[in-house]
Amino acid sequence: MYRTRTGPVALPSTFFARSALHAAPDLLGCTLVRRIRGRELLTGQIIETEAYGGHRDRASHAFQGPTPRNAVMFGPPGFAYVYFTYGMHWLFNVVCDAEGTPAAVLIRGVELFVGNGQKAPGHRRRSSASGLLPSTPVRLNGPAKLTKALGITGALNGEDLSTSTRLWITQPAPPREHLRILRTPRIGVDYAGPAAAWKRRFLLEE
DNA sequence: CACTAGATTTTCT
DNA sequence: GAAAATCTAGTGG
């Protein structure tokens, strides 16, 4: 599925036309692809996600209704919701569910690879800091770390991931059946009442 | 190690 | 005014 003879193609918007809770675990093991200035190709395997949305999810940005920031969450599925937080960080989500039903999957971690001998913004800095070679896969846990490494900012808010040449997700070849997936409560949502305990964070076991 | 301060936008109280 | 779907650098034990 979602492959052609020339290799994986972008996941279509139909992949995201369901609840975030169902899409979030299925995104684990998929590949996030970022093309910068039409040349540098940066890819990372998605290793951590969180699901937001639904009528009772007080942790969702959309819980209180639409605002200028969360407007994309109310739009059609398969679009990027990129928002700024803590005065410092960009966080990358994919909009899920039907138009008018706000939901999104937060991409919290990738294992980063660098294509064509190019280096990622932030990747070189991170590599030298950790003493790794530039070609070494780097496990980035943390939603703001991966956006920095892949150069994802608010300029990509509202991007259609099914047609974009700058940012998309592919589903790699199976086998998916022996992926080991862990479920935990979401990070940083202690304020959200009962929703704080929901196990809507999904991690790929090493 | 553990803990804290600080970066400073968006939203809600 | 305060906290947030965060992370880093710095201090101190």
Side-chain angles (χ1 to χ4, degrees), chain A residues 2-203:
Chain A
Y2 307 124
R3 289 178 68 87
T4 70
R5 271 185 292 175
T6 56
V9 299
L11 288 174
S13 53
T14 51
F15 181 93
F16 303 100
R18 51 185 166 146
S19 78
L21 195 52
H22 288 104
D26 284 356
L27 283 169
L28 295 176
C30 291
T31 302
L32 181 61
V33 186
R34 170 80 167 113
R35 198 203 304 275
I36 299 175
R37 289 184 293 279
R39 296 184 288 105
E40 296 176 64
L41 196 65
L42 312 172
T43 63
Q45 184 190 42
I46 296 172
I47 58 176
E48 181 178 343
T49 60
E50 282 179 358
Y52 289 87
H55 270 27
R56 294 176 194 76
D57 187 3
R58 279 186 60 193
S60 169
H61 282 176
F63 183 70
Q64 310 276 359
T67 66
R69 179 171 70 162
N70 68 20
V72 178
M73 284 186 76
F74 290 79
F79 284 66
Y81 169 41
V82 184
Y83 71 90
F84 199 63
T85 192
Y86 292 103
M88 285 279 295
H89 301 299
W90 295 102
L91 270 60
F92 168 57
N93 305 248
V94 185
V95 175
C96 291
D97 225 315
E99 182 166 6
T101 302
V105 174
L106 172 66
I107 308 299
R108 288 191 57 90
V110 297
E111 189 168 283
L112 184 67
F113 294 86
V114 181
N116 300 327
Q118 305 286 344
K119 297 185 179 72
H123 177 255
R124 177 170 38 192
R125 178 187 57 74
R126 214 170 275 292
S127 298
S128 58
S130 58
L132 298 170
L133 297 172
S135 58
T136 303
V138 181
R139 204 172 168 89
L140 295 178
N141 281 98
K145 282 193 224 169
L146 77 88
T147 56
K148 183 164 191 179
L150 293 175
I152 296 172
T153 70
L156 287 164
N157 189 41
E159 189 86 348
D160 183 348
L161 301 183
S162 65
T163 61
S164 175
T165 58
R166 302 192 290 172
L167 185 65
W168 66 96
I169 297 172
T170 67
Q171 181 153 310
R176 291 188 56 80
E177 52 271 17
H178 37 71
L179 294 181
R180 292 284 171 267
I181 296 176
L182 304 177
R183 287 185 68 157
T184 78
R186 295 169 295 184
I187 301 298
V189 298
D190 294 345
Y191 63 90
W198 296 348
K199 292 186 175 180
R200 294 193 173 187
R201 176 179 179 230
F202 301 88
L203 301 100

